[in-house]
Amino acid sequence: MADSLDSLEIEEPDDAYLLAAEREATLPPVRRALIVLVSDHRYESESDDTGSLVGELAVEAGFTVDGIVRVKSKKSDIRKAIETAVVGGVDLVLTIGATGVGARDRAPEATRAVIDQLVPGVAQAIRSSGQACGAIDASTSRGICGVSGSTVVVNLASSRLAVRDGMATVAPLVNHLVSDLQKYSVQ
């Protein structure tokens, strides 16, 4: 058998192939996110600005943003948007807004109806960080975090400060959760 192997001509891979293989091995995994803007406001420019901000911050955190969806602050509309994202296979759903104590603030209830397990430490970190930076709506938010299937769902308050601080806080936490979900998913 050794004689038959000696007679084979083995080609060495070229440098371009090796460089491409190294690059592929070091590329971070593609992670997908959907942003759900929850509001009853008619001010589209405010929503557009918030959506753009969250989208940019999600990309900085390593996610490809599949889309930004606007829904009314109705539990059924919020739930439907989250469920659609989960079925679509996104890694992260960020809901923005409707986390306060008002009668129309239904994002936590809609999220709770969809998730399989709560991850309370993420929501606690968002509130703590919000308090530290002065984002009152983040520190008093009823927002939750959980997992539905293999999708992480996070509720953030809607002020620019709450969004900026919330994204800085959740990025490493959510990336850790997504890695765990991908590592332990049934293949």
Side-chain angles (χ1 to χ4, degrees):
M1 182 146 163
D3 293 333
S4 63
L5 289 178
D6 291 334
S7 64
L8 291 177
E9 260 186 65
I10 300 175
E11 288 184 33
E12 293 295 320
D14 65 1
D15 288 340
Y17 174 80
L18 291 173
L19 288 174
E22 284 178 21
R23 216 176 10 255
E24 187 174 311
T26 60
L27 288 176
V30 175
R31 295 192 168 162
R32 297 171 45 221
L34 182 77
I35 298 163
V36 180
L37 299 176
V38 183
S39 176
D40 285 332
H41 298 291
R42 298 270 184 231
Y43 306 108
E44 290 300 319
S45 62
E46 181 183 326
S47 295
D48 289 344
D49 187 39
T50 301
S52 298
L53 173 63
V54 178
E56 289 172 20
L57 295 171
V59 168
E60 286 177 16
F63 289 87
T64 298
V65 178
D66 282 6
I68 299 171
V69 178
R70 289 174 181 77
V71 298
K72 289 189 176 198
S73 188
K74 289 178 51 183
K75 184 177 173 183
S76 60
D77 290 353
I78 301 165
R79 189 183 68 241
K80 184 188 283 186
I82 296 170
E83 288 172 341
T84 300
V86 170
V87 170
V90 300
D91 299 297
L92 172 64
V93 176
L94 290 166
T95 71
I96 310 300
T99 61
V101 296
R104 303 284 299 172
D105 292 332
R106 307 305 294 166
E109 289 78 14
T111 302
R112 193 172 285 113
V114 175
I115 61 174
D116 303 319
Q117 54 187 333
L118 282 169
V119 185
V122 174
Q124 291 167 352
I126 293 167
R127 282 189 277 279
S128 177
S129 181
Q131 184 175 14
C133 81
I136 300 299
D137 59 334
S139 59
T140 60
S141 170
R142 296 181 312 111
I144 64 172
C145 174
V147 176
S148 179
S150 60
T151 301
V152 177
V153 183
V154 177
N155 303 145
L156 292 177
S158 61
S159 73
R160 289 184 64 80
L161 184 55
V163 166
R164 285 187 181 282
D165 183 67
M167 288 300 295
T169 301
V170 302
L173 303 173
V174 167
N175 274 303
H176 173 77
L177 291 173
V178 170
S179 292
D180 274 358
L181 288 167
Q182 291 173 346
K183 184 178 2 176
Y184 296 113
S185 69
V186 178
Q187 299 290 330

